[in-house]
Amino acid sequence: QKEVEQDPGPLSVPEGAIVSLNCTYSNSAFQYFMWYRQYSRKGPELLMYTYSSGNKEDGRFTAQVDKSSKYISLFIRDSQPSDSATYLCAMSAATDSWGKLQFGAGTQVVVTP
Amino acid sequence: DTEVTQTPKHLVMGMTNKKSLKCEQHMGHRAMYWYKQKAKKPPELMFVYSYEKLSINESVPSRFSPECPNSSLLNLHLHALQPEDSALYLCASSQVQGSRGNTIYFGEGSWLTVV
């Protein structure tokens, strides 16, 4: 079993819809959670970073962490065609050396006009 | 735009060639990383430098040789690569390795094709 599970998609939504992405994990030591957006043939771009259970909002993006369920989510409101990309969740334990991020497989999102 | 700059963006090399990938950051970060990413896969950690010293080598073959000349620069020297080494090579940086609350920023990557 992988430490981080993420549905690879593709997830297709119409423009203006809410995009809902999630990852589950098995290592209870994970404390830091990140979401990256990666456009085709580009490097990952950090979208959200959280380290506690609850919600964090930044513009159209909301990240949720539920440590009791080992489940994290990313919501994108009012989705645009420019949001079409692969979204990677990543996480790390406090005891790990930073840089050893555990990534999910990445979910490909397609927003259709 | 990312503040981690990688050159070249694209590189094609033969299996007997020697080439280098370069990375530069001016955010004052003291930890720098090389990741490798194959198509439709997540990035995989290769090396970590902390305060210009190699702190993590994820059992990478010796045909990949990292170098950190100073706190802003990171190189990856390539020699005698195999076609299966073709991938996107990502440089990343963070404030300090091992501290809580750090976030890791990636460059745009260098696309490497080995022929």
Side-chain angles (χ1 to χ4, degrees):
Chain A
Q1 182 188 7
K2 294 179 182 178
E3 279 195 291
V4 181
E5 298 280 358
Q6 182 179 10
D7 187 335
L11 176 63
S12 183
V13 299
E15 183 176 357
I18 295 175
V19 176
S20 175
L21 304 165
N22 59 75
C23 291
T24 59
Y25 61 95
S26 57
N27 187 347
S28 57
F30 287 146
Q31 294 189 25
Y32 304 100
F33 305 93
M34 288 137 278
W35 285 95
Y36 288 88
R37 177 176 64 194
Q38 187 171 24
Y39 291 113
S40 180
R41 303 183 68 82
K42 298 289 188 181
E45 173 191 3
L46 181 66
L47 286 178
M48 299 289 281
Y49 163 75
T50 56
Y51 57 88
S52 59
S53 286
N55 293 356
K56 181 178 181 179
E57 191 172 315
D58 184 0
R60 296 186 296 116
F61 300 94
T62 299
Q64 285 186 351
V65 174
D66 183 347
K67 289 185 178 179
S68 62
S69 301
K70 298 188 180 64
Y71 188 91
I72 67 171
S73 301
L74 178 71
F75 299 97
I76 308 173
R77 292 183 297 280
D78 188 23
S79 59
Q80 305 295 312
S82 58
D83 294 324
S84 298
T86 295
Y87 291 80
L88 294 151
C89 65
M91 48 196 77
S92 181
T95 53
D96 284 346
S97 299
W98 277 87
K100 297 191 74 171
L101 297 176
Q102 295 295 328
F103 283 92
T107 299
Q108 183 186 359
V109 173
V110 179
V111 181
T112 55
Chain B
D1 289 341
T2 179
E3 295 185 66
V4 178
T5 304
Q6 291 187 241
T7 56
K9 286 185 168 43
H10 300 275
L11 178 63
V12 179
M13 60 184 292
M15 289 187 285
T16 58
N17 291 158
K18 287 185 180 180
K19 297 286 184 183
S20 297
L21 305 180
K22 298 184 183 300
C23 175
E24 188 170 7
Q25 58 88 14
H26 293 289
M27 295 180 282
H29 290 174
R30 301 308 298 272
M32 297 186 76
Y33 313 86
W34 281 113
Y35 277 80
K36 173 183 177 179
Q37 187 177 23
K38 301 283 279 185
K40 299 189 182 300
K41 297 289 187 183
E44 296 178 355
L45 182 66
M46 299 175 71
F47 302 104
V48 181
Y49 273 84
S50 179
Y51 292 95
E52 296 93 70
K53 292 184 179 178
L54 183 64
S55 61
I56 294 177
N57 177 339
E58 292 287 282
S59 302
V60 179
S62 60
R63 56 185 184 269
F64 295 92
S65 176
E67 177 195 21
C68 190
N70 59 53
S71 60
S72 300
L73 296 174
L74 186 66
N75 299 322
L76 185 64
H77 303 298
L78 314 170
H79 174 54
L81 295 192
Q82 303 298 310
E84 58 265 29
D85 295 322
S86 299
L88 178 66
Y89 288 84
L90 295 161
C91 176
S93 70
S94 66
Q95 286 184 341
V96 175
Q97 182 194 6
S99 295
R100 293 186 176 187
N102 273 324
T103 50
I104 295 173
Y105 298 91
F106 287 88
E108 292 287 344
S110 292
W111 278 97
L112 173 66
T113 302
V114 182
V115 297

